[in-house]
């Protein structure tokens, strides 16, 4: 099914890219399956696809997703507590001595990784760096749909919310439908992986 994403503007390339990083007001994208079918002015895309596409509207700027270069540390050297453990462990991720004091099993690592991945998706993350040594964490990453990179690419000095822009691909017809939509205040409204809406701010 085709989906037409209407937004305030579209930024075709990551922020540090030499070209295509300036937002284009009035632009939109069309997703067909796991790929981008078209990128262009909303009115043109509506005329071409409006009778066949579901329309989603977002009050923000659609951009390539963010990259997390510290993926292994965030998922394999950090414990993300279950909300049911808040009274005992709090709600913030645990590292160092606090993590060492926990009886960690593969099952617990997998559950922690899934919660950590949800935090990353809520930041607009679409790629992260591995490798991952815990089988349960590897499985969680694979099932999440977030693309794994073998090593961290170069990132800009400023990292919003703990994630940096990834120069993996620009938004163009035929490219993977991996992107995020950010509100004017920088918060993530939605994250899309392979054409699937995997995070939507409530």
């Amino acid at each position: 099914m085709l989906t037409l994403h209407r937004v305030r503007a579209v930024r075709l390339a990551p922020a540090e890219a030499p070209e295509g990083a300036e937002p284009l007001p009035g632009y939109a994208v069309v997703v067909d399956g796991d790929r981008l079918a078209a990128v262009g002015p909303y009115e043109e895309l509506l005329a071409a696809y409006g009778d066949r596409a579901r329309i989603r509207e977002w009050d923000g700027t659609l951009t390539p997703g963010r990259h997390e270069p510290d993926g292994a540390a965030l998922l394999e050297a950090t414990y993300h507590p279950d909300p049911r453990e808040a009274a005992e462990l709090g709600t913030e991720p645990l590292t160092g001595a606090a993590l060492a004091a926990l009886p960690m099993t593969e099952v617990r690592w997998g559950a922690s990784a899934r919660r950590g991945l949800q935090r990353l998706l809520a930041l607009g993350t679409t790629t992260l760096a591995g490798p991952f040594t815990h089988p349960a964490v590897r499985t969680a990453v694979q099932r999440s749909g977030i693309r794994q990179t073998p090593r961290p690419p170069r990132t800009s000095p400023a990292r919003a919310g703990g994630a940096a822009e990834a120069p993996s691909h620009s938004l163009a017809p035929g490219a993977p439908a991996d992107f995020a939509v950010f509100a004017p205040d920088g918060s993530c409204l939605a994250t899309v992986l392979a054409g699937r809406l995997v995070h939507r701010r409530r």
Side-chain angles (χ1 to χ4, degrees):
M1 182 178 183
L2 297 172
T3 303
L4 171 57
H5 292 267
R6 184 183 189 183
V7 290
R8 286 189 176 193
V10 173
R11 199 180 76 214
L12 299 178
E16 74 276 11
E19 297 180 2
E22 289 299 317
L24 300 171
Y27 267 49
V29 304
V30 175
V31 173
D32 184 4
D34 64 354
R35 297 280 161 173
L36 294 175
V39 180
Y42 171 72
E43 296 300 334
E44 292 182 11
L45 298 186
L46 181 64
Y49 296 94
D51 60 341
R52 296 177 287 144
R54 170 181 54 188
I55 298 176
R56 291 189 183 275
E57 298 194 13
W58 310 101
D59 187 21
T61 299
L62 189 151
T63 80
R66 297 183 185 276
H67 176 74
E68 178 48 69
D70 297 324
L74 286 173
L75 299 180
E76 294 199 326
T78 304
Y79 180 69
H80 300 272
D82 188 298
R84 294 169 294 185
E85 300 173 308
E88 176 188 359
L89 301 177
T91 59
E92 293 303 308
L94 304 177
T95 60
L99 172 61
L102 295 177
M104 296 300 294
T105 63
E106 279 298 307
V107 171
R108 200 170 193 184
W109 273 121
S112 171
R114 289 190 292 274
R115 292 188 291 269
L117 287 162
Q118 286 301 314
R119 287 176 181 251
L120 292 175
L121 291 173
L123 292 172
T125 306
T126 57
T127 64
L128 78 170
F132 300 98
T133 59
H134 291 289
V137 175
R138 280 201 305 271
T139 298
V141 172
Q142 291 167 357
R143 289 179 176 175
S144 74
I146 294 181
R147 298 179 193 274
Q148 181 183 336
T149 62
R151 61 181 62 85
R154 290 186 178 181
T155 58
S156 56
R159 297 176 60 211
E165 300 290 352
S168 54
H169 70 272
S170 296
L171 301 179
D178 297 346
F179 55 83
V181 182
F182 295 95
D185 65 2
S187 61
C188 181
L189 298 175
T191 304
V192 172
L193 294 174
R196 296 182 301 111
L197 181 64
V198 293
H199 165 73
R200 181 174 191 167
R201 193 175 74 181
R202 295 178 181 178

